Amino acid sequence: MFRSLALVAAATLGLSAAAMAQTEPKPQPDKPDGKAAASGQKSCFFSRDVRGFAAPDDKTLYLRVRAKDVYRLDMKGRCPELDWEHRIAIDSRGSSSLCSALDITVLVKNPIGVSRCSVETLTRLTPEEIAALPKKSRP
């Protein structure tokens, strides 16, 4: 099931850091410096190309990018309300091009404001990995 997704550039955010949350991907983990793992393909996408998301739990976020790409973001810790919220925002650092976990902060509304969740890894899934996702995890 698709959820609506609000994409917000860092420059246009009027929210405080304490009120936001970041996310992380997983399958092809980033290197410790936040750079995408070498896989033959550059693993970058624009925030404007995100079409949907699914969060099977409070530590994992799958993003549907354009028509067929799926990225997994693994959080550095729990991201409260991530698996319940129907809208999220992606805060990008410096550019709308997202190439590593360091570029992304996931913002999730919670009962007292907005959580800011840090992403540990960003991974582009292969077609086989996408096909193997459980229904609840498909964006």
Side-chain angles (χ1 to χ4, degrees):
M1 180 165 107
F2 286 90
R3 299 177 184 177
S4 56
L5 178 65
L7 299 176
V8 183
T12 61
L13 284 176
L15 303 170
S16 69
M20 307 302 257
Q22 290 181 332
T23 351
E24 311 171 5
K26 208 170 193 174
Q28 293 177 345
D30 293 343
K31 296 177 183 176
D33 64 359
K35 303 276 183 185
S39 64
Q41 286 185 9
K42 192 165 183 177
S43 188
C44 295
F45 61 95
F46 291 102
S47 58
R48 68 176 176 256
D49 292 332
V50 175
R51 301 293 183 247
F53 74 98
D57 56 48
D58 61 1
K59 295 182 181 180
T60 309
L61 178 66
Y62 292 99
L63 297 177
R64 167 78 54 195
V65 178
R66 294 175 294 278
K68 63 180 181 175
D69 294 333
V70 174
Y71 287 80
R72 177 179 170 148
L73 289 77
D74 294 302
M75 306 301 131
K76 288 185 180 175
R78 289 185 62 244
C79 185
E81 306 296 325
L82 179 63
D83 53 340
W84 289 98
E85 190 56 45
H86 294 287
R87 293 184 304 160
I88 63 170
I90 303 292
D91 183 5
S92 59
R93 296 186 184 141
S95 163
S96 64
S97 177
L98 306 171
C99 297
S100 81
L102 293 176
D103 296 334
I104 305 168
T105 299
V106 177
L107 310 173
V108 182
K109 188 175 180 181
N110 64 45
I112 60 170
V114 178
S115 297
R116 184 173 198 78
C117 302
S118 298
V119 176
E120 186 173 347
T121 59
L122 172 64
T123 307
R124 182 177 180 181
L125 300 183
T126 64
E128 294 78 20
E129 291 170 325
I130 296 168
L133 286 174
K135 186 175 183 177
K136 178 182 178 185
S137 300
R138 292 183 186 189

